[in-house]
Amino acid sequence: MERTLVLVKPDGVQRGLVGRILQRFETKGLRVVGLKLRRFPEELIREHYAMHAERPFYASLVRFMTSGPVVAVALEGENAIAVTRNLMGATNGQEAAPGTIRGDFGMSVSFNLVHGSDGPESAAKELKLFFGADGDLVDWTPTLESWVYDQDDQG
Ligand code: UDP
Ligand code: MG
């Protein structure tokens, strides 16, 4: 089992898409283990996107991500990081494949509705940033879990 951080960005919240976006992850079989809506502090957003600090879009990205409420979601599942990234689609909504969140709901490269951690290290860092050192996350097993994963699956 792996955990990853998803953010529904301000455009997704403003457009009333929080429910439909979360539904994509839930119906896929990923488990919500953390959920919060906040206007996150600029310092936190700067740290979250620190790897892009030198990119030309950094300032506008920080402005966008602090322009309104964001929903932070912690998801758990087998290969949760890659599964989540696949459900999100390519960065640019105009290029993202139909069926993906960005492909179905967006037309922009900056206002692209969702963030998802891109690897185990960033997932650990980002989960800690948005949820603290595990304190806000919930360990639980859905009753229907045995119908999501086949225990006989080989590797
Ligand atoms: N972004 C942008 N302009 C660009 C590239 C990216 O505004 O030319 C924003 C966009 O919101 C994107 C975020 O910066 O989601 C982080 O960029 P990254 O390349 O990591 O894309 P992601 O991993 O989110 O697909
Ligand atoms: Mg990225």
Side-chain angles (χ1 to χ4, degrees):
M1 286 286 164
E2 194 171 65
R3 282 179 172 176
T4 189
L5 177 85
V6 163
L7 300 175
V8 181
K9 298 182 177 184
D11 56 330
V13 178
Q14 295 286 356
R15 291 175 56 196
L17 293 172
V18 173
R20 291 168 77 184
I21 289 171
L22 289 189
Q23 186 175 44
R24 300 281 179 120
F25 298 113
E26 279 192 301
T27 52
K28 178 67 175 168
L30 290 160
R31 176 190 320 175
V32 176
V33 294
L35 188 60
K36 60 170 74 165
L37 178 141
R38 295 272 193 289
R39 280 188 87 125
F40 289 102
E42 182 177 326
E43 273 317 296
L44 188 154
I45 296 296
R46 287 189 166 279
E47 173 62 25
H48 172 66
Y49 280 121
M51 80 289 271
H52 294 311
E54 306 305 321
R55 308 283 287 277
F57 59 81
Y58 182 67
S60 55
L61 177 59
V62 171
R63 209 176 316 120
F64 163 52
M65 291 297 291
T66 54
S67 67
V70 164
V71 175
V73 191
L75 295 175
E76 184 174 290
E78 289 183 11
N79 296 311
I81 296 169
V83 169
T84 294
R85 297 277 299 185
N86 284 337
L87 289 177
M88 287 163 43
T91 305
N92 187 339
Q94 294 183 19
E95 293 162 7
T100 65
I101 293 165
R102 288 164 169 174
D104 285 355
F105 296 132
M107 288 290 281
S108 170
V109 65
S110 50
F111 292 4
N112 59 6
L113 301 154
V114 278
H115 164 84
S117 309
D118 63 6
E121 278 170 26
S122 56
K125 179 194 157 188
E126 293 169 4
L127 285 167
K128 197 168 168 198
L129 206 50
F130 285 87
F131 286 98
D134 263 17
D136 282 352
L137 299 183
V138 178
D139 294 316
W140 66 292
T141 304
T143 310
L144 292 177
E145 177 102 339
S146 59
W147 292 106
V148 175
Y149 296 105
D150 180 351
Q151 297 306 314
D152 295 333
D153 279 356
Q154 307 295 312

